[in-house]
């Protein structure tokens, strides 16, 4: 729903960050952790995106402990905001690096994790855009999570290229975002923003929504292999998210970076992932 | 309009978290709080329910890396061997509770110490011939009579087995709780602060109150409690039967002053639970052993409270039932007679009823008697507590596996809804039964007589009970 990227004043190079997006979130930087506030829908999205990430990764590992299922996994949370997704991943044992261009967001995130000594050690936050960390983080991460980010970036292809650079071979990329359809305009903009106020008005621009076909195409042509695409549905009455067949409004995607030889992962990994996810309309949708 | 609509819809959105977030109390300063050790879960109260809660979480695989603490005001009780004589505090454990206890290995210890299975239960009135008996056709047990000390010993053993996850603080009474503000800023700690009697401090992400019907956790959380004292006390004692018998039946007779129950402990011994008026209870404790035994036998065997009217009405109804449902009437059996009582085993304690209006708040949950207190006539007290634990542990385990903040109201409310739905009807029914059976007034006696006879004839209802 809302992540953002900002253009640094001194940066003249090409950036995946969009300056106008930033101003929208500056005002809300301290509201992240109010579970009933502006970000309540993102809080409840954790109930499906955390299990999605966890179960996908577990199905690809052979030795893990259910007490700390993501132990030993290095995750990059791009556009982490106040750390809503970084913290649960940290609690599951992962070493998380959260980056967000807006300093106020990082400050909020740092402050919130500081009370829990376990999380304070497992999670590191940095105020930065993705491009700025590429040089020092080549092939550093096992997993990249970009949840509710790509609908806000300025240059999607460059964003994906950067993801590929910092991801280890055969590492996983998880994206959740909004489709560009008539239905997503009605539900995602008109209802969500203007009528029901689920999302602060002006958060999204329909022109920047990304259809799964386009996202998949960009991924495949940049060294990724799309493994799973699942539609997501938000129920405003219950305030909760669920999976659904259709990707016409929100969806989640899992892609894997090709191995060192540039070959895609074997097909048995695909069917394993498919069978493990709930109501998964899995498949390389491209 | 969109702003107004937004407000309307947001208020209308469940869950109603806003009402539960405590205001008012001072939140602890971060600097003060920082020194105290931080736990993921602290269970306050080391009785049967508190120990079981800590043990279940300690054995849960998703809690493998978590830190749990159990606070108990009393000293540690070592019991590898039970004394020869039976303790006078026993509990009726349902098969559901037995399954729960075996889920983390405690039931095996109970079985290796001692317990008594009962396969039949007979409940009858003193003012009429009506009775209801429970019996399972297959060889399933209805329940078990277990001394509370045996259960505690089994639970302590299972706590020792997970000492890496669960730290038990004996001789540690909590005297003060400080609650976090719902949305904290950088100056105040987001965790619950606990101060012990000796000045030690702890912090926790979730506080579970298992500290009994006079719960300090509940009172400090300002959770309203609906309670009243019955004008009854329970007299307990360990009794020896006149002759050895299979003794696999639990007996309960409703006298006008209150129910008297005989719970089997072995082939030669049974435990007494006699709920009666405070004066009568004191008399029973004061009288010599022979008179005490006579009172018990007379309470079970005497028909002095019958009236002809009720007897006739009852007989008529029973004939009607046997026409409609031949198998629906059963022969009333007689309980064993008592020969003597264990010296020093007589005791009494007052009875009351209580129910907390809320079981949970931000970072707090109540279980066992802290949440609900019921009359012993239904033999349900500790079973409700174990049911609470099973439900709360299930939700906490799922929350831990999802990386959630354990003190979050979202999953705590699910626990509350499930348990209140289950508990309220049972507590209300027990209270109604207690009042219904406390009278000699003919219409009410007739009502309960017919009701009991009808319930006895209806198998589906009995199975549900």
């Amino acid at each position: 729903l809302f992540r953002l990227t900002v253009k640094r004043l001194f940066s003249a190079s090409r950036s995946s960050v969009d300056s106008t997006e930033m101003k929208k979130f500056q005002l809300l930087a301290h509201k992240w952790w109010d579970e009933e506030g502006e970000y309540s829908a993102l809080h409840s999205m954790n109930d499906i995106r955390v299990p999605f990430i966890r179960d996908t990764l577990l199905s690809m590992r052979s030795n893990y402990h259910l007490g700390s299922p993501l132990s030993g996994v290095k995750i990059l949370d791009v556009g982490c905001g106040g750390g809503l997704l970084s913290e649960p991943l940290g609690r599951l044992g992962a070493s998380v690096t959260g980056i967000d261009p807006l300093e106020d967001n990082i400050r909020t995130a740092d402050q919130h994790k500081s009370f829990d000594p376990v999380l304070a050690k497992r999670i590191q936050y940095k105020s930065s855009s993705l491009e700025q960390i590429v040089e020092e983080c080549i092939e550093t991460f096992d997993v990249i999570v970009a949840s509710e980010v790509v609908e806000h970036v300025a240059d999607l292809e460059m964003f994906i290229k950067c993801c590929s650079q910092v991801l280890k071979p055969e590492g996983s990329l998880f994206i959740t975002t909004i489709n560009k359809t008539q239905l997503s305009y009605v539900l995602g903009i008109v209802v969500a923003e203007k009528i029901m106020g689920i999302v602060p008005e002006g958060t999204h621009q329909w022109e920047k929504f990304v259809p799964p076909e386009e996202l998949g195409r960009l991924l495949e042509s940049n060294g990724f292999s799309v493994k799973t695409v699942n539609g997501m549905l938000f129920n405003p009455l219950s305030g909760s998210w669920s999976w659904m067949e259709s990707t016409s409004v929100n969806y989640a995607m899992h892609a894997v970076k090709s191995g060192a030889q540039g070959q895609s992962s074997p097909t048995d990994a695909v069917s394993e992932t498919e069978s493990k996810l709930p109501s998964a309309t899995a498949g390389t949708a491209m | 309009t969109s702003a107004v609509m937004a407000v309307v819809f947001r208020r209308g959105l469940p869950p109603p978290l806003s009402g539960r977030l405590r205001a008012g109390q001072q939140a602890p300063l971060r600097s003060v709080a920082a020194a105290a050790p931080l736990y993921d879960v602290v269970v306050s109260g080391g009785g049967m329910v508190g120990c079981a809660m800590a043990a279940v979480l300690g054995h849960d695989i998703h809690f493998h890396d978590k830190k749990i603490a159990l606070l108990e005001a009393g000293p540690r009780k070592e019991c590898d061997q039970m004394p020869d004589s039976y303790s006078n505090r026993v509990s009726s454990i349902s098969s559901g509770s037995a399954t729960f206890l075996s889920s983390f290995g405690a039931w095996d210890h109970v079985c290796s110490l001692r317990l008594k299975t009962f396969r039949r239960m007979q409940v009858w009135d003193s003012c009429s011939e009506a009775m209801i008996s429970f019996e399972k056709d297959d060889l399933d047990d209805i329940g078990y009579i277990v001394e509370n000390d045996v259960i505690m010993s089994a639970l302590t053993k299972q706590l020792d087995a997970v000492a890496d996850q669960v730290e038990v603080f004996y001789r540690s009474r909590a005297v003060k709780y400080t609650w976090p503000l719902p949305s904290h800023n950088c100056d105040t700690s987001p965790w619950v602060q606990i101060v012990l009697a000796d000045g030690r401090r702890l912090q926790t992400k979730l506080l579970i109150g298992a500290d009994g019907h006079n719960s300090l956790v509940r009172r400090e959380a300002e959770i309203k409690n609906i309670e009243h004292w019955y004008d009854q006390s329970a007299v307990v004692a360990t009794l020896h039967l006149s002759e050895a018998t299979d003794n696999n039946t639990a007996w309960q007779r409703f006298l006008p002053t209150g129910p008297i129950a005989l719970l089997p402990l072995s082939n030669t011994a049974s435990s007494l639970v006699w709920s009666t008026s405070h004066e009568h209870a004191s008399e029973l404790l004061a009288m010599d052993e022979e008179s005490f035994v006579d009172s018990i036998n007379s309470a079970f065997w005497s028909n002095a409270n019958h009236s002809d009217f009720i007897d006739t009405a009852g007989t008529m109804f029973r004939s009607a039932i046997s026409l409609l449902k031949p198998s629906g009437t059963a022969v009333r059996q007689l309980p064993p007679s008592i020969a003597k009582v264990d010296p020093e085993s007589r005791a009494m304690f007052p009875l009351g009823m209580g129910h907390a209006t809320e079981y949970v708040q931000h970072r707090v949950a109540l279980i066992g008697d802290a949440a609900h207190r019921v009359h012993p006539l239904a033999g349900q007290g500790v079973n409700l507590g174990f049911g609470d634990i099973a439900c709360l542990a299930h939700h906490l385990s799922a929350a831990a596996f999802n990386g959630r903040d354990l003190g979050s109201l979202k999953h705590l409310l699910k626990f509350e809804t499930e348990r209140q739905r289950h508990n309220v009807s049972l507590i209300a029914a027990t209270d109604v039964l207690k009042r219904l059976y406390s009278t000699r007034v003919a219409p009410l006696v007739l009502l309960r007589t017919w009701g009991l006879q009808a319930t006895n004839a209806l198998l589906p209802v009995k199975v549900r009970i």
Side-chain angles (χ1 to χ4, degrees):
Chain A
L1 284 162
F2 23 109
R3 294 296 173 179
L4 38 129
T5 47
V6 76
K7 186 154 80 172
R8 287 290 171 105
L9 292 169
F10 52 80
S11 166
S13 53
R14 274 168 61 214
S15 171
S16 63
V17 165
D18 189 323
S19 56
T20 45
E21 296 278 357
M22 200 46 136
K23 293 193 190 65
K24 293 182 240 175
F25 291 91
Q26 185 72 46
L27 296 164
L28 297 172
H30 59 287
K31 298 265 183 86
W32 284 102
W33 287 99
D34 180 3
E35 278 190 57
E36 282 190 280
E38 279 80 358
Y39 291 115
S40 61
L42 268 188
H43 277 278
S44 61
M45 197 194 278
N46 276 345
D47 291 339
I48 60 167
R49 59 184 172 171
V50 172
F52 175 55
I53 297 168
R54 174 197 76 208
D55 292 340
T56 306
L57 294 176
L58 283 181
S59 72
M60 293 178 357
R61 303 176 90 186
S62 46
N63 63 324
Y64 53 83
H65 191 285
L66 281 176
S68 193
L70 299 184
S71 169
V73 179
K74 291 184 71 173
I75 302 183
L76 174 68
D77 184 2
V78 183
C80 61
L84 264 60
L85 182 51
S86 301
E87 288 204 4
L89 294 175
R91 284 196 196 97
L92 292 180
S95 302
V96 183
T97 302
I99 62 172
D100 196 283
L102 187 54
E103 267 186 43
D104 282 351
N105 284 349
I106 296 295
R107 210 171 296 137
T108 304
D110 260 328
Q111 194 256 325
H112 195 265
K113 73 155 191 180
S114 66
F115 292 99
D116 184 337
V118 167
L119 284 186
K121 264 206 331 241
R122 285 201 191 135
I123 308 176
Q124 304 307 321
Y125 291 115
K126 200 162 173 257
S127 173
S128 162
S129 70
L130 182 55
E131 304 78 63
Q132 285 166 322
I133 63 160
V134 165
E135 273 175 34
E136 49 197 52
C137 294
I138 305 276
E139 298 200 350
T140 303
F141 297 102
D142 300 298
V143 177
I144 298 183
V145 171
S147 180
E148 306 305 306
V149 179
V150 301
E151 70 268 22
H152 296 281
V153 307
D155 185 337
L156 185 53
E157 178 143 31
M158 197 184 67
F159 181 85
I160 292 173
K161 280 186 168 37
C162 291
C163 285
S164 179
Q165 285 177 286
V166 302
L167 198 54
K168 290 181 187 165
E170 300 191 31
S172 283
L173 172 62
F174 291 91
I175 294 177
T176 78
T177 186
I178 311 180
N179 197 347
K180 189 176 179 182
T181 60
Q182 282 186 332
L183 191 57
S184 75
Y185 181 75
V186 171
L187 292 182
I189 308 268
V190 178
V191 174
E193 289 187 16
K194 300 193 197 309
I195 297 182
M196 292 187 74
I198 299 168
V199 172
E201 195 159 347
T203 301
H204 290 125
Q205 292 166 267
W206 186 79
E207 295 71 27
K208 301 189 69 177
F209 286 172
V210 184
E213 299 78 27
E214 184 188 326
L215 183 59
R217 185 182 51 77
L218 280 173
L219 287 169
E220 296 269 342
S221 60
N222 281 287
F224 284 94
S225 164
V226 177
K227 298 295 179 193
T228 313
V229 185
N230 281 329
M232 293 159 57
L233 178 67
F234 180 68
N235 179 341
L237 297 175
S238 65
S240 65
W241 289 87
S242 55
W243 296 110
M244 75 166 171
E245 288 255 345
S246 156
T247 56
S248 39
V249 190
N250 295 76
Y251 65 94
M253 191 176 277
H254 170 233
V256 172
K257 176 177 166 180
S258 318
Q261 265 72 36
Q263 287 152 1
S264 0
S265 316
T267 38
D268 18 346
V270 177
S271 41
E272 222 188 334
T273 319
E274 287 177 33
S275 59
K276 292 260 164 91
L277 290 167
S279 61
T281 42
T284 53
M286 313 306 117
Chain B
T1 350
S2 64
V4 171
M5 291 285 265
V7 170
V8 166
F9 275 105
R10 185 154 308 124
R11 279 290 159 262
L13 280 179
L17 299 180
S18 41
R20 293 306 182 94
L21 304 177
R22 238 175 276 100
Q25 265 202 322
Q26 277 266 310
L29 283 180
R30 182 199 187 134
S31 46
V32 174
L38 173 65
Y39 291 87
D40 293 286
V41 180
V42 167
V43 180
S44 183
M48 287 191 282
V49 168
C51 282
M53 183 85 240
V56 157
L57 290 180
H59 279 84
D60 187 306
I61 189 144
H62 300 305
F63 271 75
H64 188 260
D65 284 357
K66 308 263 186 263
K67 286 176 65 176
I68 304 164
L70 173 63
L71 302 176
E72 165 53 31
R76 180 190 164 100
K77 294 182 203 151
E78 298 285 357
C79 278
D80 270 320
Q81 284 275 103
M82 298 307 299
D84 284 333
S85 60
Y86 286 93
S87 154
N88 60 8
R89 296 306 308 269
V90 307
S91 292
S92 163
I93 303 293
S94 67
S95 39
S97 291
T99 309
F100 161 72
L101 288 171
S102 54
S103 72
F104 59 100
W107 191 243
D108 286 336
H109 295 312
V110 171
C111 294
S112 70
L113 286 170
R114 61 182 177 216
L115 61 88
K116 186 76 176 79
T117 312
F118 64 95
R119 300 201 169 86
R120 195 169 165 271
M121 220 161 78
Q122 180 173 299
V123 177
W124 75 111
D125 202 335
S126 68
C127 297
S128 78
E129 291 292 325
M131 71 150 229
I132 181 167
S133 76
F134 296 87
E135 208 158 6
K136 293 223 183 139
D137 294 324
D138 35 6
L139 291 176
D140 264 3
D141 310 323
I142 296 185
Y144 312 89
I145 303 298
V146 188
E147 293 155 274
N148 292 357
D149 286 342
V150 168
I151 299 176
M152 281 304 301
S153 172
L155 293 174
T156 307
K157 257 216 181 74
Q158 285 311 91
L159 279 175
D160 288 342
V162 287
D164 287 339
Q165 277 76 29
V166 184
E167 203 176 329
V168 185
F169 291 77
Y170 289 104
R171 300 183 192 278
S172 304
R173 175 191 309 279
V175 295
K176 187 167 190 313
Y177 298 102
T178 310
W179 313 111
L181 296 171
S183 45
H184 62 100
N185 55 44
C186 49
D187 290 330
T188 61
S189 167
W191 315 126
V192 177
Q193 310 294 320
I194 306 169
V195 182
L196 302 180
D198 58 8
R200 278 179 297 167
R201 311 176 85 96
L202 301 98
Q203 305 186 75
T204 181
K205 301 174 190 171
L206 173 64
L207 172 68
I208 300 181
D211 46 351
H213 65 86
N214 198 26
S215 165
L216 180 67
V217 174
R218 186 190 67 226
R219 285 184 282 131
E220 297 247 310
E222 292 174 7
I223 294 178
K224 278 212 211 17
N225 191 41
I226 301 168
E227 63 184 356
H228 65 259
W229 293 94
Y230 294 123
D231 50 7
Q232 281 188 345
S233 283
V235 173
V236 293
T238 310
L239 306 173
H240 294 278
L241 311 181
S242 305
E243 48 185 46
T245 151
D246 273 343
N247 207 14
N248 54 12
T249 303
W251 309 93
Q252 175 151 289
R253 189 179 198 194
F254 283 98
L255 307 173
T257 47
I260 179 171
L262 209 59
L263 306 171
L265 289 171
S266 72
N267 288 353
T268 54
S270 286
S271 185
L272 172 78
V273 183
W274 191 345
S275 309
T276 182
S277 68
H278 298 305
E279 307 79 49
H280 187 216
S282 310
E283 279 170 30
L284 285 170
L285 247 59
M287 59 175 70
D288 60 275
E289 291 182 8
E290 249 188 66
S291 316
F292 183 67
V293 167
D294 286 341
S295 308
I296 298 173
N297 285 325
S298 155
F300 275 113
W301 290 58
S302 144
N303 282 339
N305 283 308
H306 285 207
S307 80
D308 289 333
F309 168 64
I310 300 287
D311 277 352
T312 320
T315 317
M316 270 172 42
F317 194 65
R318 200 172 42 243
S319 336
I321 292 185
S322 53
L323 282 176
L324 295 167
K325 206 173 183 309
S327 63
T329 56
V331 176
R332 179 160 66 117
Q333 296 184 18
L334 293 167
S337 78
I338 307 302
K340 68 187 203 54
V341 56
D342 245 358
E344 316 297 325
S345 74
R346 278 187 270 176
M348 71 183 250
F349 51 90
L351 297 175
M353 167 270 201
H355 193 252
T357 50
E358 294 166 350
Y359 286 4
V360 300
Q361 272 187 10
H362 181 54
R363 300 203 184 285
V364 182
L366 299 176
I367 55 175
D369 279 5
H372 43 72
R373 183 187 183 198
V374 18
H375 194 283
L377 71 84
Q380 287 309 305
V382 79
N383 295 313
L384 285 183
F386 288 149
D388 290 346
I389 299 171
C391 179
L392 182 57
H394 163 77
H395 286 292
L396 289 180
S397 183
F401 194 44
N402 281 354
R404 293 183 59 85
D405 176 356
L406 290 176
S408 160
L409 256 185
K410 208 158 160 207
H411 51 262
L412 292 180
L413 281 173
K414 288 192 197 155
F415 151 73
E416 179 189 79
T417 309
E418 268 182 54
R419 287 312 289 172
Q420 282 197 336
R421 220 178 268 153
H422 176 274
N423 292 345
V424 169
S425 41
L426 197 142
I427 294 168
T430 307
D431 192 64
V432 164
L433 272 182
K434 187 258 167 209
R435 292 169 198 283
L436 184 60
Y437 274 93
S438 297
T439 174
R440 275 198 195 89
V441 171
L444 289 172
V445 174
L446 207 54
L447 174 69
R448 74 194 192 210
T449 300
W450 285 348
L452 201 57
Q453 284 174 324
T455 312
N456 195 32
L458 295 172
L459 193 53
V461 177
K462 279 168 61 172
V463 167
R464 228 180 144 266
I465 298 176

